[in-house]
Amino acid sequence: MAKTSLSNTRNTIFVCQSCGAEHRKWIGQCPDCRAWNSITEQQITPASMRSGKAAPLIVTPITEIDSSKSPRRSSGLHELDRVLGGGFVPGSAVLIGGDPGIGKSTLLLQASRYLAEQGNVLYVTGEESPQQVRLRGERIQAEHNAIHLAASTDLEAILVTIDQLKPSTVIIDSIQTTVTSRLTSAPGTVAQVRDCAAGLIQSAKQKGHALVLAGHVTKDGSIAGPRVLEHMVDAVLYFEGDRGHAHRILRAVKNRFGPAGEIGVFEMTDAGLIGIRDASKIFLAERAVDVPGSVILACMEGTRPLLVEVQALVAPTVYATPKRSAVGLDTGRVSMLTAVLERRIGLPLGQQDVYVNVVGGARILEPAADLAVMLAIISAYQERPVPANMATFGEVGLTGEIRPVGQPEARVKEAANLGFSQLLLPKENHARVREADIAVTLAPKSKVSVQYHPVRNMAEAAQAGLT
Ligand code: TYD
Ligand code: MG
């Protein structure tokens, strides 16, 4: 592709490889995402060449479309099936994202083992050799003669192989290593990732196999720089976890065929990933139960619900002005909440240092953390623990009133899914949550009946939340 000039000619555009924005001419810095040197020239087909040949679309009344023909294919892993909404849907594309080394390849190989019993599986690896995959397969007992391995990064070769093998499941590990010869840009760039994914998705829709793409998450937390892939696929699952801990969380961020926000919990062992039905055990195992100053907060990270432990410590001060210190929370907000406790509840914190910490390095900036922070401080000061199976959320105003927060259903659902059966929440949120009837949408396997404690102010919260 010859770069004719720096200004646009009719059949080229300039695309930022970082955010995917399109520009009319080459520039050193992308005005949209501010990335430097990220803009490359790309060929486009002029509209005049595309039109003309097109035949009219075949339209069908919605009532005449056969919807019974998509039986789901179970992965044999109950936690994965739950997140998918019952299993893989033929003809659909699922993206599994996560940090390198989190366990994506392990999960997909384990799922292949069961999927292979329902038809051929094509497992294309662009990162490991077939020998390495086999070795891992032996270790996690994921061997089956219907799992067909190929080490390739070449999109066109993969598509031809799909045509020949006619697999019922195609696994691409990873989408970032796949390249198409149609583009000259490097593997992993926006244009390559988008083009390869589009080609693979189109083939899945035409041929009816289930497509699974593994994708690495970049430093800023999005797959392949921008979220280009999220729009193209039917379901996006994120694999999360701390490599220091054995547990992993698989979270559906988007799902066209099932509930979004669903999570699956696994434990990484010597024999691969094991689904954990009773996830609360893992989370409760790491925290000290019945210790004053510890509160479980159901917060939202973007669209994702997350349970974190908020800890507080209250100690007599040696300073003229007592310290208010916060890790993982806004210190200014913690000072304000401490003042509200003094004035509205009469908690004598004037001679006390207050330290608040979010365990595990999370950073929570939403006001929905207020109630948990204040409850943790009261609990620490009065040395009265909060029940171990209680989770909470809610914003607190300057008069000590408790205000509703967004997405209460997602928070309640996450807490209940993880085994927290008591919920301390704003009264107004409680009305909404009951309407949504969480119990019905909860995964059928988790037999948690949630006990709600709706509260209007901090005095009520302290009454309901402390033992
Ligand atoms: P992997 O699936 O290769 O991660 P990804 O594909 O997301 O990059 O996971 C690799 C990690 O998992 C590695 O650190 C080793 C560990 N692991 C186990 O602990 N047990 C196992 O049985 C396997 C296969 C891997
Ligand atoms: Mg891998």
Side-chain angles (χ1 to χ4, degrees):
M1 177 168 55
K3 198 169 194 165
T4 40
S5 73
L6 287 183
S7 71
N8 201 1
T9 58
R10 203 166 296 150
N11 52 2
T12 63
I13 50 164
F14 295 84
V15 179
C16 172
Q17 298 300 315
S18 164
C19 71
E22 294 176 2
H23 306 285
R24 295 170 57 79
K25 62 182 174 63
W26 190 88
I27 24 185
Q29 184 187 25
C30 174
D32 285 25
C33 70
R34 312 248 143 237
W36 286 95
N37 255 335
S38 61
I39 294 181
T40 58
E41 188 175 9
Q42 269 173 32
Q43 215 93 42
I44 48 165
T45 321
S48 57
M49 274 172 68
R50 272 187 268 140
S51 63
K53 275 185 282 181
L57 300 173
I58 301 162
V59 293
T60 317
I62 190 167
T63 46
E64 282 169 31
I65 292 175
D66 186 6
S67 64
S68 60
K69 261 200 322 212
S70 349
R72 288 172 184 267
R73 296 198 188 112
S74 168
S75 66
L77 299 161
H78 55 82
E79 292 295 296
L80 176 57
D81 283 352
R82 166 158 74 182
V83 175
L84 288 168
F88 290 101
V89 176
S92 75
V94 177
L95 173 68
I96 297 194
D99 288 331
I102 199 79
K104 300 181 292 296
S105 305
T106 308
L107 181 75
L108 293 178
L109 195 56
Q110 282 183 260
S112 303
R113 168 68 184 77
Y114 199 79
L115 290 166
E117 285 173 10
Q118 303 158 67
N120 279 334
V121 176
L122 176 64
Y123 189 111
V124 184
T125 169
E127 300 185 339
E128 291 156 299
S129 68
Q131 288 77 17
Q132 285 173 317
V133 178
R134 167 89 207 254
L135 274 175
R136 172 181 306 180
E138 282 173 8
R139 190 142 53 86
I140 61 178
Q141 277 153 30
E143 290 174 294
H144 197 289
N145 57 12
I147 303 178
H148 300 270
L149 285 183
S152 173
T153 58
D154 180 354
L155 176 76
E156 283 73 22
I158 295 169
L159 291 176
V160 172
T161 313
I162 293 173
D163 282 348
Q164 273 193 356
L165 187 68
K166 299 190 176 40
S168 62
T169 310
V170 175
I171 295 171
I172 306 292
D173 188 7
S174 67
I175 187 65
Q176 272 104 349
T177 53
T178 312
V179 280
T180 166
S181 51
R182 285 200 321 119
L183 299 174
T184 50
S185 43
T189 53
V190 171
Q192 282 285 4
V193 166
R194 189 165 48 189
D195 252 56
C196 292
L200 289 161
I201 291 167
Q202 197 189 12
S203 117
K205 299 261 181 271
Q206 282 171 356
K207 306 209 164 62
H209 53 261
L211 173 69
V212 190
L213 307 171
H216 296 302
V217 172
T218 54
K219 286 185 282 312
D220 55 11
S222 51
I223 292 175
R227 316 191 80 121
V228 275
L229 286 179
E230 293 195 0
H231 307 296
M232 299 167 66
V233 295
D234 299 302
V236 181
L237 314 183
Y238 276 98
F239 215 7
E240 302 167 356
D242 177 2
R243 257 182 283 173
H245 295 108
H247 69 263
R248 305 275 183 270
I249 295 185
L250 186 67
R251 199 182 293 272
V253 177
K254 162 184 170 178
N255 195 349
R256 283 191 188 138
F257 305 114
E262 203 62 74
I263 67 162
V265 182
F266 296 90
E267 190 177 346
M268 180 63 97
T269 68
D270 292 345
L273 291 155
I274 295 178
I276 308 285
R277 284 189 200 268
D278 194 358
S280 62
K281 273 197 188 134
I282 282 194
F283 289 85
L284 293 174
E286 286 182 18
R287 63 187 272 251
V289 174
D290 287 337
V291 171
S294 161
V295 176
I296 299 299
L297 160 69
C299 62
M300 298 295 298
E301 250 197 358
T303 57
R304 308 187 211 174
L306 180 75
L307 287 197
V308 294
E309 182 187 355
V310 177
Q311 291 182 340
L313 179 71
V314 177
T317 187
V318 293
Y319 307 101
T321 331
K323 270 188 85 153
R324 284 15 180 165
S325 161
V327 177
L329 293 156
D330 179 33
T331 308
R333 188 137 193 124
V334 170
S335 306
M336 186 190 93
L337 298 176
T338 312
V340 174
L341 282 175
E342 281 189 72
R343 299 292 297 170
R344 305 291 171 202
I345 309 261
L347 209 64
L349 296 170
Q351 300 300 315
Q352 307 283 335
D353 288 337
V354 176
Y355 303 90
V356 188
N357 176 27
V358 178
V359 180
R363 197 165 161 70
I364 314 297
L365 294 175
E366 58 163 2
D370 292 354
L371 181 50
V373 170
M374 291 172 85
L375 200 60
I377 296 173
I378 305 174
S379 163
Y381 180 78
Q382 298 185 342
E383 300 197 330
R384 290 162 67 196
V386 174
N389 59 356
M390 180 180 276
T392 184
F393 59 85
E395 182 178 346
V396 183
L398 288 182
T399 67
E401 87 278 12
I402 292 174
R403 301 215 196 108
V405 298
Q407 291 163 282
E409 298 91 350
R411 298 171 201 265
V412 170
K413 207 169 152 187
E414 177 92 344
N417 265 332
L418 292 182
F420 290 90
S421 54
Q422 294 197 60
L423 271 158
L424 185 70
L425 75 176
K427 200 170 174 80
E428 285 171 56
N429 276 150
H430 181 228
R432 242 179 90 184
V433 165
R434 266 196 311 192
E435 273 169 45
D437 208 3
I438 296 296
V440 176
T441 54
L442 273 178
K445 294 273 156 51
S446 63
K447 287 207 185 66
V448 187
S449 66
V450 180
Q451 187 190 351
Y452 295 99
H453 302 277
V455 286
R456 279 170 305 188
N457 54 52
M458 261 332 281
E460 283 182 17
Q463 182 107 54
L466 298 171
T467 52

